[in-house]
Amino acid sequence: MLDPATAQQLLEENFAAWVQALHPRITRIDPEAAVLEIPIRPDIARVGGIVCGQALATLADTAMVFACAGHLGGFKPVATTNLETRFLSAAKGDSVRCTARVIKGGRAMIFAEALLERLPDGVPVAAASATFYLPS
């Protein structure tokens, strides 16, 4: 089973530089969920200090990859085959927290969902769902 420090190291060693440029921090990973947070900084915000949708979608996808790892009991490469992101409210504040869960895992396909909340007030800013292919 992965712990947050090991998962963080895997993120830093295996994910693209543009994902790491969001400064994601893994705060929880277990078979039930993965939780990642990113700070809200000017370089990921658009007019009005609102985090751009691309950054939110990247956070959701990355968190769901780690939810797959928690579900599988270890990090295994998965391929995103479908990603849907629904933007609910302006993402502004100090940071964005994403909680991702596997809703169904099979031998070849894993289905996951994520909820993104702005901090410190906890207002939902986006929701996402994705399907991942697990190569054998």
Side-chain angles (χ1 to χ4, degrees):
M1 179 147 87
L2 290 174
D3 59 76
T6 303
Q8 186 72 39
Q9 183 177 354
L10 287 165
L11 187 150
E12 292 167 5
E13 293 173 352
N14 294 287
F15 283 70
W18 57 268
V19 173
Q20 294 183 45
L22 295 175
H23 302 279
R25 184 171 54 92
I26 299 173
T27 61
R28 174 184 168 195
I29 185 165
D30 57 45
E32 301 302 315
V35 179
L36 280 69
E37 293 183 16
I38 60 169
I40 295 177
R41 300 179 337 275
D43 59 327
I44 63 168
R46 59 180 184 80
V47 176
I50 298 168
V51 177
C52 67
Q54 297 91 334
L56 295 175
T58 299
L59 173 60
D61 185 58
T62 304
M64 288 186 281
V65 167
F66 279 97
C68 291
H71 173 78
L72 294 168
F75 185 76
K76 295 182 182 171
V78 294
T80 306
T81 63
N82 180 59
L83 173 64
E84 178 186 1
T85 308
R86 297 164 304 282
F87 302 102
L88 308 172
S89 183
K92 54 185 179 177
D94 296 333
S95 59
V96 177
R97 175 178 53 221
C98 181
T99 303
R101 301 180 193 294
V102 168
I103 54 175
K104 182 175 185 339
R107 287 187 306 238
M109 303 297 284
I110 300 173
F111 301 88
E113 61 187 10
L115 179 65
L116 294 85
E117 302 167 298
R118 68 185 188 204
L119 299 177
D121 62 9
V123 170
V125 296
S129 58
T131 306
F132 297 92
Y133 172 68
L134 178 62
S136 51

